[in-house]
Amino acid sequence: MPDSNDAYIGARIAEQRRLAHLTQRGLAASAHVSHSLLSKVESGHRPASPALVAACARALGIESSVLAGQPFSGEQREDRFDAPVAAIRASLENWDIPLEDVTPPRPLQDIAVDVELVGDHRRSANYLKTALDAPRLIDELVESSHQGEGRHKERAHRLLAYTYRCVHDVAYNLGHIDLGSSILSRMGFSAERSGDPYMVVLTSYLRAQSCFNTGRHEVGLRLMSRALADVEEDARRGNRSALCVQGNLRLRSAMLAARSRPAGKSQADNARAQWNEAWDTAKLLKGDVQNYVMSFGPTNTRIHQVAIEVELGNYGSAVKASENLRFPDEFRGAYPDRVGHHYIDLSRAQLWTGDRSAAFASLREARSVAPQQTRYHPHVRETVHTLRRADRAQNESLSNYARWLGL
């Protein structure tokens, strides 16, 4: 099994296919992808799109993270993630039992300050700092939730649900999919007790994200449809929190539609229709809004316009859409995770339109903005693999970048 970092995704698909005793044609038929495309992906001559990876994983009865090679354990050990991730797992053991002989929790207003800092770490894609700080807050908030009633209990659960949201990003992006599922379960428990319907919607939003890994895009779309119905009335009244939530739900629906299999005109039309709805919502906000549940605005919507075209395999359209995107200074400072993710997507589009120098420049930009996100993103590794195979001169900067990734 090619579990080393030197194996590209196509090679892992080929290995898992052989372990399942399937021919290329057999897997292509089961995954509803063309045999020609699968052949090119396995040989490394075409990109392994997230939609194709999810379709093959589902046909093979495994998770997409297996084909992506996640989690990248060697790099995580080098970056000292082992102990913080273990602490997150330990913090999930208790969510419903008051403990005796523990240090009394601080007042909620003091805990809330630290929770906000964890949220800042999450938006900065600082996975290590998030993982280091969140477990003690989870323990403290669980205990606080048992020591009060009414609004105190609701606020404790609201802060707890948001903290779970932060560590879910760590687990998901590092490739600890099982841990992410456990976090979502705990988040759902607290969201239901938070007195905040938007926290419940946020849980559905993250649950739909896990559908990318399993390939159950139809489940994710149904979740988003149900959540949109829940916020429709408040959004119609112009409630800014509801509009932020509604816009993000539309964008997630667009990405789910873009990755649906079998891909075709209807999926593309649905993805773009969802994006258009999100754009209409963004225009109502008249700017980028940092909201306590989900931030939203025109810039993030433009980012997703590029990402959708990448997911649909329309790389030229993605590059063209990126020309309409300008990051305000305040956005770049507030949302490094979104800026970094954009450059990761853009690099894939530039690579497969033949502009290898621009693709590498985008990867360097992603690293400068959000280094941990970039290092642990499987499609960064896939792009670098492809760039190295095409680089006959063995560019030293590219080799150094590959070594930083752990390749």
Short mmCIF file of all heavy atoms in Angstrom, two decimals, residues 197-198 200-202 204 222-235 237 242 245-246 249:
data_model
loop_
_atom_site.label_atom_id
_atom_site.label_comp_id
_atom_site.label_asym_id
_atom_site.label_seq_id
_atom_site.Cartn_x
_atom_site.Cartn_y
_atom_site.Cartn_z
N PRO A 197 -30.48 28.91 17.80
CA PRO A 197 -30.76 28.08 16.63
C PRO A 197 -29.65 28.11 15.59
O PRO A 197 -29.48 27.16 14.83
CB PRO A 197 -32.06 28.67 16.07
CG PRO A 197 -32.11 30.07 16.62
CD PRO A 197 -31.47 30.00 17.96
N TYR A 198 -28.88 29.20 15.56
CA TYR A 198 -27.80 29.28 14.57
C TYR A 198 -26.66 28.32 14.90
O TYR A 198 -25.94 27.88 14.02
CB TYR A 198 -27.28 30.71 14.46
CG TYR A 198 -28.31 31.69 13.96
CD1 TYR A 198 -28.51 32.90 14.58
CD2 TYR A 198 -29.11 31.37 12.86
CE1 TYR A 198 -29.48 33.80 14.13
CE2 TYR A 198 -30.09 32.25 12.40
CZ TYR A 198 -30.26 33.45 13.04
OH TYR A 198 -31.22 34.34 12.59
N VAL A 200 -27.19 25.35 16.06
CA VAL A 200 -27.70 24.08 15.53
C VAL A 200 -27.45 24.03 14.02
O VAL A 200 -27.02 23.00 13.48
CB VAL A 200 -29.20 23.93 15.84
CG1 VAL A 200 -29.76 22.66 15.22
CG2 VAL A 200 -29.45 23.94 17.35
N VAL A 201 -27.70 25.15 13.34
CA VAL A 201 -27.45 25.22 11.90
C VAL A 201 -25.96 25.03 11.60
O VAL A 201 -25.58 24.35 10.64
CB VAL A 201 -27.96 26.55 11.33
CG1 VAL A 201 -27.52 26.73 9.88
CG2 VAL A 201 -29.48 26.62 11.41
N LEU A 202 -25.10 25.65 12.42
CA LEU A 202 -23.66 25.51 12.22
C LEU A 202 -23.23 24.05 12.32
O LEU A 202 -22.35 23.60 11.58
CB LEU A 202 -22.91 26.36 13.25
CG LEU A 202 -21.38 26.31 13.21
CD1 LEU A 202 -20.84 26.71 11.85
CD2 LEU A 202 -20.79 27.20 14.31
N SER A 204 -25.04 21.46 11.45
CA SER A 204 -25.41 20.85 10.18
C SER A 204 -24.43 21.24 9.07
O SER A 204 -24.09 20.42 8.21
CB SER A 204 -26.83 21.28 9.78
OG SER A 204 -27.78 20.78 10.68
N ARG A 222 -29.09 17.70 1.20
CA ARG A 222 -30.37 17.66 1.93
C ARG A 222 -30.24 18.39 3.28
O ARG A 222 -31.16 19.11 3.70
CB ARG A 222 -30.80 16.20 2.14
CG ARG A 222 -32.16 16.05 2.79
CD ARG A 222 -33.26 16.67 1.94
NE ARG A 222 -33.38 16.02 0.65
CZ ARG A 222 -34.12 14.93 0.42
NH1 ARG A 222 -34.82 14.39 1.41
NH2 ARG A 222 -34.18 14.42 -0.79
N LEU A 223 -29.10 18.22 3.94
CA LEU A 223 -28.86 18.93 5.19
C LEU A 223 -28.90 20.44 4.97
O LEU A 223 -29.49 21.19 5.76
CB LEU A 223 -27.49 18.54 5.77
CG LEU A 223 -27.40 17.21 6.52
CD1 LEU A 223 -25.93 16.86 6.76
CD2 LEU A 223 -28.13 17.30 7.85
N MET A 224 -28.27 20.90 3.89
CA MET A 224 -28.23 22.33 3.61
C MET A 224 -29.62 22.86 3.26
O MET A 224 -29.98 23.96 3.64
CB MET A 224 -27.24 22.62 2.49
CG MET A 224 -25.78 22.32 2.83
SD MET A 224 -25.17 23.26 4.26
CE MET A 224 -25.60 22.19 5.65
N SER A 225 -30.38 22.06 2.54
CA SER A 225 -31.74 22.48 2.18
C SER A 225 -32.59 22.66 3.44
O SER A 225 -33.33 23.64 3.57
CB SER A 225 -32.37 21.44 1.25
OG SER A 225 -33.70 21.78 0.94
N ARG A 226 -32.47 21.73 4.37
CA ARG A 226 -33.23 21.81 5.61
C ARG A 226 -32.79 23.01 6.46
O ARG A 226 -33.62 23.73 7.03
CB ARG A 226 -33.05 20.52 6.41
CG ARG A 226 -33.95 20.39 7.62
CD ARG A 226 -33.89 19.00 8.18
NE ARG A 226 -32.58 18.68 8.75
CZ ARG A 226 -32.23 17.48 9.21
NH1 ARG A 226 -33.10 16.47 9.14
NH2 ARG A 226 -31.04 17.27 9.71
N ALA A 227 -31.47 23.24 6.51
CA ALA A 227 -30.95 24.37 7.29
C ALA A 227 -31.37 25.71 6.67
O ALA A 227 -31.68 26.67 7.38
CB ALA A 227 -29.43 24.28 7.38
N LEU A 228 -31.37 25.78 5.34
CA LEU A 228 -31.80 27.01 4.67
C LEU A 228 -33.25 27.34 5.00
O LEU A 228 -33.61 28.50 5.19
CB LEU A 228 -31.60 26.87 3.16
CG LEU A 228 -30.17 27.08 2.65
CD1 LEU A 228 -30.02 26.53 1.24
CD2 LEU A 228 -29.80 28.56 2.69
N ALA A 229 -34.08 26.32 5.07
CA ALA A 229 -35.48 26.55 5.43
C ALA A 229 -35.60 27.10 6.85
O ALA A 229 -36.47 27.93 7.13
CB ALA A 229 -36.27 25.25 5.30
N ASP A 230 -34.69 26.67 7.74
CA ASP A 230 -34.74 27.12 9.13
C ASP A 230 -34.38 28.60 9.28
O ASP A 230 -34.83 29.25 10.24
CB ASP A 230 -33.79 26.28 9.99
CG ASP A 230 -34.29 24.85 10.17
OD1 ASP A 230 -35.50 24.61 9.99
OD2 ASP A 230 -33.45 23.97 10.50
N VAL A 231 -33.55 29.13 8.38
CA VAL A 231 -33.11 30.53 8.53
C VAL A 231 -33.83 31.47 7.55
O VAL A 231 -33.61 32.68 7.59
CB VAL A 231 -31.58 30.66 8.32
CG1 VAL A 231 -30.83 29.79 9.30
CG2 VAL A 231 -31.17 30.35 6.90
N GLU A 232 -34.69 30.91 6.70
CA GLU A 232 -35.28 31.71 5.63
C GLU A 232 -36.07 32.91 6.15
O GLU A 232 -35.93 34.04 5.65
CB GLU A 232 -36.19 30.83 4.76
CG GLU A 232 -36.80 31.58 3.59
CD GLU A 232 -37.66 30.67 2.73
OE1 GLU A 232 -37.86 29.49 3.10
OE2 GLU A 232 -38.14 31.15 1.70
N GLU A 233 -36.88 32.70 7.17
CA GLU A 233 -37.75 33.78 7.64
C GLU A 233 -36.92 34.93 8.22
O GLU A 233 -37.17 36.10 7.91
CB GLU A 233 -38.73 33.26 8.68
CG GLU A 233 -39.73 34.31 9.15
CD GLU A 233 -40.77 33.73 10.11
OE1 GLU A 233 -40.90 32.49 10.17
OE2 GLU A 233 -41.43 34.53 10.80
N ASP A 234 -35.92 34.60 9.06
CA ASP A 234 -35.08 35.65 9.64
C ASP A 234 -34.28 36.37 8.57
O ASP A 234 -34.07 37.59 8.64
CB ASP A 234 -34.13 35.06 10.68
CG ASP A 234 -34.84 34.71 11.99
OD1 ASP A 234 -36.01 35.12 12.16
OD2 ASP A 234 -34.23 34.02 12.82
N ALA A 235 -33.82 35.64 7.57
CA ALA A 235 -33.06 36.26 6.48
C ALA A 235 -33.94 37.21 5.68
O ALA A 235 -33.50 38.29 5.27
CB ALA A 235 -32.46 35.19 5.57
N ARG A 237 -36.28 38.94 6.77
CA ARG A 237 -36.46 40.17 7.56
C ARG A 237 -35.20 41.02 7.61
O ARG A 237 -35.20 42.10 8.20
CB ARG A 237 -36.90 39.82 8.98
CG ARG A 237 -38.32 39.27 9.08
CD ARG A 237 -38.84 39.39 10.50
NE ARG A 237 -38.03 38.62 11.43
CZ ARG A 237 -38.35 37.41 11.88
NH1 ARG A 237 -39.47 36.83 11.47
NH2 ARG A 237 -37.58 36.78 12.72
N ALA A 242 -28.68 35.93 10.28
CA ALA A 242 -29.36 34.99 9.39
C ALA A 242 -28.82 35.10 7.96
O ALA A 242 -28.65 34.09 7.27
CB ALA A 242 -30.86 35.24 9.41
N VAL A 245 -25.46 33.34 7.79
CA VAL A 245 -25.66 31.89 7.79
C VAL A 245 -26.22 31.44 6.44
O VAL A 245 -25.74 30.47 5.85
CB VAL A 245 -26.60 31.48 8.94
CG1 VAL A 245 -27.01 30.03 8.80
CG2 VAL A 245 -25.93 31.71 10.29
N GLN A 246 -27.22 32.15 5.93
CA GLN A 246 -27.83 31.78 4.66
C GLN A 246 -26.79 31.78 3.53
O GLN A 246 -26.74 30.84 2.72
CB GLN A 246 -28.95 32.75 4.33
CG GLN A 246 -29.71 32.42 3.05
CD GLN A 246 -30.72 33.50 2.70
OE1 GLN A 246 -30.37 34.63 2.41
NE2 GLN A 246 -32.01 33.14 2.75
N LEU A 249 -24.51 28.74 3.83
CA LEU A 249 -25.22 27.51 3.47
C LEU A 249 -25.34 27.38 1.95
O LEU A 249 -25.21 26.29 1.39
CB LEU A 249 -26.61 27.48 4.10
CG LEU A 249 -26.67 27.41 5.64
CD1 LEU A 249 -28.11 27.55 6.12
CD2 LEU A 249 -26.06 26.12 6.16
#
